[in-house]
Amino acid sequence: EWPLRPGFERVIMSVTAASKGNDDPPVENVPKPPTQPSEVSKLINLYLVLPQSSESVKVSLGTHDHIHELRQMVNERPESCYKTCFTLQHKGKVLDEFAMIHTVEGLVDGETVRCVAEQYSLREARLHLKRIRSLIQPDIQNNAQNGTDNLSLTFANVVAGRDIEEDISKTVKEDKGGDLDSTPPVYLFESSVPLGPLFPEAPPAAAACVQHIGYSGWNPPPGHRRMVGDLFYLEVKTLEGSTVHITSVPSGFYVNRTTEEDFDPRPADVSYKGYTLIDTLKQVSALFNKNFAAIQKQSVKRNPYEVIPVPYPLYTWCKPTSEHTYDTLRAEEAYIPNSTSDEMSLGIMSSRDWNEELQSARELPQATIHEQIVRDRTIFRVTSDF
């Protein structure tokens, strides 16, 4: 005999009663089966009006999907991939992007969701610039080898032997049915086997849109210019060889009269202004307009598995040596973390409590299938950020 911990006496009495002929097991010891969601996720069709456009796109989503998946669909379309500062509205009300579709009153099959352009804050303007950089410099292969933005190498196209997005029927017609050369490569019989052939070959480099784009040396805006709305200044060297200075304001981007020697934030004599940085650069440079359209056509054919962030471990000691290019935006992003407020974007650093975030994610409910999916997504996001 030994003293029992508090609460054990009730469990032992229940088990003893069950062993004496009580066919019903004690309620306290029966594990409760996971409850099923009260409403099964149904597929509905919504009409999504793109930012600064009257065009509507028909999209299909489940009722248990989140609103922010509509934003992701906007970012994946070529005509709206560079538009980042907007809110999703339904019948004039701004939608909570972290809410599920079935929780939004009146958002049923056949309804219309509008993407309404908003004014830029300092944080939104920086995020917009980061998005533009990833679009005009799509170095996916190099980013995957270095683990940038949680990317990792993919062998989908290498295994398939062609671009998966290509039309299969076209590939079958071009296949003449020739003999396949199955001779092993020579380096397999050498004493030291190289690691280079294990990596997928890099695709041909995309055409450059600009020679250089980065923050101007005139940053940050002085007090009197910040009072009138200047967020930051950019310096862009076009493919034609000219250098222009661009001002970011809440309403968009415009070319100013500043040079490397003189600071003049007034708009240029020839008005170049757009809501997005892409719209402004299209007016400044004809080559930018041409090459950016070519990059968009190439990105549409890209395998989706090549751009999905998956935090697989990377071993940079064995990757092929790649060319290191000059990029001031990449340098600044490496030393300024993603911020959640304008004050942090100005340079006031704040470290994240990784343990707190991970433990909070693990404590999320997982009684239903949907709650398990939300919990796994949250843990995946925290792990990827870490």
Side-chain angles (χ1 to χ4, degrees):
E1 297 180 1
W2 59 88
L4 298 176
R5 294 176 59 184
F8 275 30
E9 300 90 340
R10 184 175 54 181
V11 176
I12 293 178
M13 292 175 63
S14 300
V15 175
T16 305
S19 62
K20 291 183 179 180
N22 186 3
D23 296 332
D24 297 329
V27 179
E28 299 170 343
N29 296 331
V30 177
K32 296 181 179 180
T35 58
Q36 298 298 325
S38 57
E39 179 184 353
V40 179
S41 181
K42 300 178 181 178
L43 194 66
I44 63 173
N45 295 320
L46 299 176
Y47 292 93
L48 183 63
V49 180
L50 301 179
Q52 296 181 310
S53 173
S54 57
E55 176 188 359
S56 62
V57 181
K58 184 178 180 180
V59 297
S60 299
L61 288 173
T63 54
H64 280 76
D65 291 333
H66 289 78
I67 299 295
H68 67 77
E69 296 191 18
L70 294 173
R71 176 179 291 271
Q72 184 64 27
M73 293 180 178
V74 175
N75 294 335
E76 293 174 354
R77 298 188 62 85
E79 65 270 23
S80 59
C81 61
Y82 54 89
K83 299 178 181 180
T84 59
C85 187
F86 60 88
T87 56
L88 298 170
Q89 298 186 10
H90 175 243
K91 295 182 178 180
K93 296 183 179 179
V94 179
L95 300 177
D96 181 9
E97 297 190 15
F98 295 98
M100 289 183 289
I101 292 179
H102 76 276
T103 62
V104 180
E105 183 179 358
L107 191 58
V108 295
D109 186 70
E111 288 293 321
T112 300
V113 177
R114 298 184 177 275
C115 301
V116 181
E118 302 289 347
Q119 287 196 334
Y120 292 96
S121 62
L122 179 57
R123 177 179 179 272
E124 290 292 342
R126 285 181 177 270
L127 292 177
H128 179 76
L129 179 60
K130 182 178 180 180
R131 174 62 175 171
I132 298 305
R133 173 183 172 272
S134 66
L135 291 175
I136 65 177
Q137 299 175 355
D139 195 359
I140 300 297
Q141 185 77 6
N142 192 27
N143 292 341
Q145 292 179 357
N146 292 282
T148 305
D149 295 332
N150 290 324
L151 292 176
S152 58
L153 293 173
T154 174
F155 298 88
N157 289 339
V158 177
V159 174
R162 62 179 183 272
D163 190 349
I164 293 180
E165 296 300 319
E166 290 181 354
D167 188 4
I168 297 179
S169 61
K170 178 181 178 181
T171 306
V172 172
K173 291 180 180 179
E174 295 177 354
D175 188 4
K176 301 294 180 67
D179 297 334
L180 179 64
D181 186 9
S182 58
T183 305
V186 179
Y187 58 79
L188 289 180
F189 302 98
E190 298 178 356
S191 57
S192 58
V193 180
L195 296 177
L198 296 177
F199 290 86
E201 295 182 2
C209 292
V210 294
Q211 293 188 30
H212 170 71
I213 181 172
Y215 289 103
S216 170
W218 298 106
N219 283 303
H224 69 283
R225 293 303 306 178
R226 193 176 299 173
M227 290 289 292
V228 297
D230 289 2
L231 300 177
F232 54 78
Y233 307 115
L234 297 174
E235 183 177 349
V236 180
K237 188 173 183 180
T238 64
L239 296 178
E240 290 83 355
S242 60
T243 301
V244 294
H245 292 257
I246 298 177
T247 302
S248 172
V249 293
S251 59
F253 300 83
Y254 68 87
V255 178
N256 57 39
R257 303 181 184 181
T258 300
T259 63
E260 294 183 357
E261 295 80 14
D262 300 321
F263 176 70
D264 189 352
R266 294 177 299 170
D269 296 333
V270 180
S271 177
Y272 297 119
K273 183 177 181 180
Y275 176 71
T276 66
L277 183 58
I278 294 293
D279 296 335
T280 304
L281 292 177
K282 284 182 178 180
Q283 302 173 41
V284 173
S285 172
L287 289 178
F288 177 91
N289 192 6
K290 176 183 177 181
N291 293 349
F292 182 71
I295 290 178
Q296 283 187 304
K297 292 181 180 179
Q298 183 178 358
S299 62
V300 172
K301 297 181 180 180
R302 186 178 300 147
N303 190 328
Y305 292 105
E306 293 185 356
V307 295
I308 294 177
V310 180
Y312 285 142
L314 297 174
Y315 305 99
T316 55
W317 58 269
C318 64
K319 77 176 186 67
T321 303
S322 57
E323 181 183 1
H324 193 59
T325 58
Y326 181 84
D327 191 345
T328 56
L329 292 180
R330 182 189 62 230
E332 180 154 346
E333 290 176 5
Y335 294 103
I336 295 183
N338 294 332
S339 306
T340 56
S341 65
D342 292 349
E343 290 75 15
M344 289 184 181
S345 298
L346 290 172
I348 303 177
M349 304 297 182
S350 177
S351 59
R352 297 170 63 176
D353 190 343
W354 298 108
N355 181 64
E356 179 67 23
E357 292 190 29
L358 183 59
Q359 296 302 328
S360 300
R362 289 177 175 175
E363 292 175 357
L364 291 175
Q366 48 181 337
T368 66
I369 299 297
H370 181 72
E371 289 178 348
Q372 293 177 9
I373 295 176
V374 173
R375 179 178 179 271
D376 292 342
R377 283 179 177 177
T378 306
I379 294 177
F380 176 80
R381 186 185 69 250
V382 175
T383 306
S384 302
D385 292 345
F386 178 76

